[in-house]
Amino acid sequence: MSRLVRYSRYLSRFKTPHFPRCQHSTLPFSTTTVDYNKPSRLDPPPIRVALTESAGRGVFATRKIGAGDLIHTAKPILAHPSFSTINTVCYFCLKKLTSTEFHGKGVAFCSQECKENAKVFYEVETNADWLAFDDYCRNKGLKYPLLVKRLACMVISGAASSESLDILQPSNLSHEMVSRDEQMAFLTKKWYNSVLARIRINAFRIELAVGSYEDLLSSASACIEAEAAVGNAVYMLPSLYNHDCDPNAHIVWIDNADAQLKALCDVEEDEELRICYIDVSMDHDARQSFLLQGFGFKCNCLRCSSGRLVKCAKLFKRKMLT
Ligand SMILES: C[S@@+](CC[C@H](N)C(=O)[O-])C[C@H]1O[C@@H](n2cnc3c(N)ncnc32)[C@H](O)[C@@H]1O
């Protein structure tokens, strides 16, 4: 329990959450009541954060959770569109744009509310010339420096503390794992590298759920172009979930960068909730190599040691993992 207390203290470090005027939740996550699919502000989510035996902190169920239930939702601390979607999604929440866009300088917002909320970084951002920085990232295919840039603008505007991400596990990747292209210094090199290292192991690649026939076609072509993601984001609570190649929980995005954590199967009280950090359909060797290179750990989950896929087997067969 003391870990939970520490966790809530960490949360209070946030001067302003990234989504200051959102309809719900002043914290970067919201909660569920007995009706799991109707989040309420009153009850905490049915989870606790505690130390695991071998994977640092982890998230545990505080009661039984049924297959398919919403565990909690989470708002991003930071989110940024991919370069390929920068003109088609909201520059703040990453929602797909319709005809009613609210324009900024070269980017668009899905609503007046998002345009207002974006002031925490956008005014600072538009005061500087980022052309060379953006071109560099675009040409090198770098995505995480864009999140660092967004945080830097929020820090400069006073909307976030420079220590905002300190609660997240720092990267224990070896020096060679961080590409030289990512080692750009702006502000101080030390701060940049420390934020980048945290973002690297804690950022999520956002793929919105397919909502229409048109979405289906564009996601089909995006698969071929290997760019199905609308952007990347960092969250607080979801970043504390450890990995399993046969996960009992998953993270989904419906309209925008707001995340939903859902159970993939029935979960018992006190069972650790784990998500899969990588494409669950990869074979053993590919999974091991991705996890070691990208996240710095050797996976010894049941699926890796025994080859058995139990918890998400049904969904895996039906390819219904999102
Ligand atoms: C996103 S963080 C997860 C939360 C982290 N355990 C913490 O204390 O903040 C990812 C890191 O957790 C650890 N981790 C996650 N899943 C693991 C697993 N199955 N086995 C060992 N370490 C794991 C690795 O160090 C990984 O880089």
Side-chain angles (χ1 to χ4, degrees):
M1 267 311 184
S2 60
R3 294 224 137 231
L4 276 181
V5 175
R6 260 171 62 194
Y7 176 63
S8 56
R9 251 192 250 132
Y10 268 120
L11 283 179
S12 66
R13 277 208 206 157
F14 287 87
K15 287 184 187 165
T16 310
H18 188 189
F19 286 76
R21 292 195 198 172
C22 286
Q23 289 156 340
H24 48 263
S25 182
T26 50
L27 293 176
F29 63 87
S30 62
T31 63
T32 56
T33 59
V34 181
D35 181 350
Y36 307 130
N37 290 310
K38 286 197 179 149
S40 146
R41 299 181 70 171
L42 302 175
D43 297 326
I47 53 171
R48 65 189 165 87
V49 176
L51 269 186
T52 63
E53 271 178 25
S54 57
R57 292 163 302 184
V59 178
F60 293 81
T62 51
R63 58 159 164 76
K64 275 188 165 200
I65 302 173
D69 285 346
L70 175 66
I71 305 165
H72 63 89
T73 60
K75 290 192 169 292
I77 307 166
L78 292 171
H80 197 291
S82 321
F83 280 115
S84 62
T85 59
I86 215 146
N87 296 314
T88 55
V89 301
C90 174
Y91 199 50
F92 182 72
C93 78
L94 314 194
K95 183 177 178 173
K96 289 213 172 114
L97 294 170
T98 61
S99 48
T100 50
E101 298 116 33
F102 296 80
H103 282 276
K105 293 177 190 163
V107 296
F109 300 94
C110 68
S111 64
Q112 188 60 36
E113 187 188 11
C114 276
K115 194 173 177 182
E116 284 292 314
N117 288 341
K119 282 185 178 161
V120 292
F121 60 84
Y122 197 57
E123 279 175 3
V124 171
E125 189 181 313
T126 45
N127 276 337
D129 182 0
W130 294 94
L131 202 65
F133 180 88
D134 287 349
D135 277 353
Y136 186 86
C137 292
R138 187 184 285 108
N139 294 337
K140 301 278 181 185
L142 303 175
K143 48 197 179 182
Y144 302 137
L146 299 174
L147 291 170
V148 187
K149 166 184 152 186
R150 189 153 285 189
L151 178 62
C153 292
M154 289 167 68
V155 172
I156 293 167
S157 79
S161 153
S162 61
E163 293 157 13
S164 291
L165 301 190
D166 284 7
I167 184 178
L168 301 182
Q169 181 169 309
S171 172
N172 54 4
L173 306 176
S174 69
H175 203 61
E176 303 82 62
M177 288 172 183
V178 180
S179 96
R180 207 181 296 151
D181 296 330
E182 281 179 314
Q183 295 172 358
M184 287 174 294
F186 85 108
L187 300 183
T188 72
K189 193 170 183 177
K190 192 171 165 223
W191 182 83
Y192 177 84
N193 282 337
S194 122
V195 171
L196 183 68
R198 284 186 163 83
I199 286 175
R200 269 188 70 103
I201 58 163
N202 290 290
F204 288 83
R205 187 171 176 270
I206 300 179
E207 286 182 33
L208 300 182
V210 170
S212 66
Y213 184 70
E214 287 73 27
D215 282 354
L216 198 60
L217 293 182
S218 62
S219 78
S221 77
C223 286
I224 292 168
E225 290 156 22
E227 189 45 283
V230 293
N232 296 280
V234 179
Y235 303 83
M236 189 52 62
L237 202 44
S239 292
L240 298 176
Y241 282 68
N242 286 317
H243 163 88
D244 199 296
C245 297
D246 184 17
N248 55 8
H250 68 158
I251 182 163
V252 290
W253 294 270
I254 309 298
D255 275 341
N256 56 24
D258 290 357
Q260 298 192 355
L261 273 293
K262 290 188 160 191
L264 278 171
C265 58
D266 289 342
V267 177
E268 295 302 317
E269 181 176 344
D270 286 334
E271 189 179 334
E272 187 181 355
L273 288 153
R274 291 195 171 201
I275 58 177
C276 186
Y277 292 176
I278 52 174
D279 179 352
V280 79
S281 63
M282 288 194 299
D283 68 24
H284 173 272
D285 291 351
R287 296 198 311 274
Q288 287 286 340
S289 133
F290 258 81
L291 291 167
L292 194 58
Q293 283 174 24
F295 298 91
F297 69 91
K298 179 176 174 353
C299 186
N300 52 13
C301 73
L302 202 61
R303 182 176 170 202
C304 284
S305 51
S306 72
R308 285 174 59 218
L309 186 73
V310 180
K311 295 177 206 146
C312 65
K314 270 193 213 149
L315 290 157
F316 182 79
K317 270 188 206 140
R318 283 189 275 145
K319 298 255 188 239
M320 292 268 294
L321 284 158
T322 52

